[in-house]
Amino acid sequence: MANLVYKRVSTDQQSTARQNLVLDEAGIEDPVVFEEDPGTSSRLHPLQRPKFRELLTYARPGDTVHISEMFRLVRGTGHILDVLDVLHRDQVALRIHDGAFSAMDLTARHPRTGELLSTVKFMVQALAAAGELQRDLQRELTYDGLRAAEAKGNKGGRRPAIPAGKTDDVRATYLEGRSIAALAREHGVSRGAIRTAVADLMPEHTASHEDVPAPKLQVTLDMPGKVADFLRAADLDLAERAALDQGVTVRRGQGYTLRVSAAPAVHRQLLARCQPLDSALGAPAIPAQRKARREYANRVSALVDPRPGHHS
């Protein structure tokens, strides 16, 4: 019986040092380690993360999965229950070594029905909800702190990636016709940093080109929260990422929808990006995500381009 260790951090600025400490103190014998690439988002369902999928493929009945704390593996209640179902199906145990879940046997099942014990399910849901509440409160406090700083004339967020002394050179070179991508490579910064530096120049610069197409009118659709969670962790282009970032969250019971305003073409691109939720690409199927994707597909398929003479 193998001991399978799973590790993950949410950003590439973080390290697994704390996880290593907890797991080393646990004295796990002959661990087989599966560590996600740095920056693997907790929004991505565990069953769709590359290393956790590799772990499940490697696992055999009687093996044990070890994690330092529950939220290294899962984000919310739905994720936890989905993972527990898969582990139960594969006869794999789960051991959490720190945090509120460390004293619980999360794999306990009813001896006759085989279903997760109601007491375990209740505790999982309660503790997961408490964790989500804590994260929501942290976001609200961060937002309030930024507003307070702005009221005092301070601007929050990251400092510009382009040194102040080079900003004028970047702007002048941009107006001479250098592309944003070329400037980003030359200065060793992201394209977003270049766009920030030349933001006020872009409308005037592009307006001088007669072949620039007119901006596309936007339509608003409600995107199920499970679809939005998947897309936030996906590799999107700038228009798609901007549409998600500017979406408005609408709470619906225990879940939510994201009200996204974008051109019809962007909605169709986003729908194409979340195709894995429907096909699962070899991963264990997640019915709730498939249903959410199909709801979004129905809304996108009914789209009519708001420009005169254009239809889906």
Side-chain angles (χ1 to χ4, degrees), residues 49-255:
R49 296 180 198 150
K51 286 299 179 180
F52 192 66
R53 287 171 58 180
E54 184 180 326
L55 181 153
L56 292 175
T57 301
Y58 182 92
R60 295 293 180 268
D63 290 351
T64 300
V65 176
H66 298 265
I67 53 178
S68 61
E69 55 191 342
M70 178 58 87
F71 294 108
R72 294 299 177 185
L73 176 61
V74 295
R75 179 179 176 85
T77 309
H79 288 189
I80 296 175
L81 298 178
D82 288 340
V83 168
L84 291 179
D85 283 342
V86 171
L87 294 179
H88 174 68
R89 180 200 67 194
D90 295 343
Q91 300 178 49
V92 176
L94 175 64
R95 178 73 191 277
I96 300 131
H97 293 276
D98 195 21
F101 290 95
S102 60
M104 296 175 59
D105 179 8
L106 298 180
T107 58
R109 300 272 168 167
H110 193 282
R112 288 185 293 278
T113 66
E115 295 181 354
L116 195 67
L117 287 179
S118 57
T119 52
V120 172
K121 184 180 293 187
F122 172 77
M123 289 301 298
V124 166
Q125 292 171 336
L127 290 171
E132 291 175 353
L133 174 62
Q134 181 182 16
R135 288 192 295 273
D136 288 343
L137 289 173
Q138 287 174 338
R139 283 195 294 268
E140 291 173 5
L141 290 171
T142 300
Y143 175 73
D144 290 342
L146 289 173
R147 289 189 62 189
E150 288 175 359
K152 295 179 179 179
N154 299 322
K155 185 176 181 180
R158 296 180 179 177
R159 296 180 179 179
I162 301 174
K166 292 187 177 180
T167 301
D168 290 342
D169 291 340
V170 169
R171 291 164 63 85
T173 309
Y174 173 77
L175 288 175
E176 290 172 1
R178 291 292 298 281
S179 70
I180 288 176
L183 286 169
R185 287 194 299 270
E186 179 181 336
H187 293 276
V189 298
S190 68
R191 296 183 185 184
I194 299 296
R195 288 190 182 87
T196 299
V198 302
D200 60 317
L201 302 178
M202 294 178 72
E204 291 79 8
H205 186 60
T206 56
S208 63
H209 295 76
E210 296 180 358
D211 59 346
V212 174
K216 296 179 180 179
L217 297 178
Q218 297 184 333
V219 293
T220 301
L221 289 181
D222 281 354
M223 176 186 293
K226 291 184 182 298
V227 173
D229 288 345
F230 175 82
L231 289 173
R232 285 192 174 105
D235 184 14
L236 306 179
D237 67 22
L238 290 173
E240 295 164 353
R241 180 64 62 189
L244 279 186
D245 290 345
Q246 295 167 13
V248 177
T249 299
V250 180
R251 293 290 175 184
R252 299 189 183 281
Q254 294 185 346

Side-chain angles (χ1 to χ4, degrees), residues 6-27:
Y6 179 76
K7 302 177 186 178
R8 182 191 63 82
V9 291
S10 298
T11 72
D12 53 14
Q13 283 79 41
Q14 295 176 325
S15 76
T16 58
R18 183 180 180 279
Q19 296 175 65
N20 294 339
L21 177 62
V22 171
L23 294 166
D24 288 345
E25 290 178 345

Side-chain angles (χ1 to χ4, degrees), residues 216 219 221 223 227 230-232 234-244 260 262-277 293 296-297 299-301 303 305 307 312:
K216 296 179 180 179
V219 293
L221 289 181
M223 176 186 293
V227 173
F230 175 82
L231 289 173
R232 285 192 174 105
D235 184 14
L236 306 179
D237 67 22
L238 290 173
E240 295 164 353
R241 180 64 62 189
L244 279 186
V260 178
V266 174
H267 281 295
R268 296 185 189 104
Q269 289 169 210
L270 290 171
L271 177 62
R273 299 280 192 193
C274 63
Q275 176 62 35
L277 297 183
R293 195 260 176 191
Y296 184 50
R299 293 166 188 166
V300 173
S301 65
L303 271 180
D305 195 313
R307 290 175 295 164
S312 308

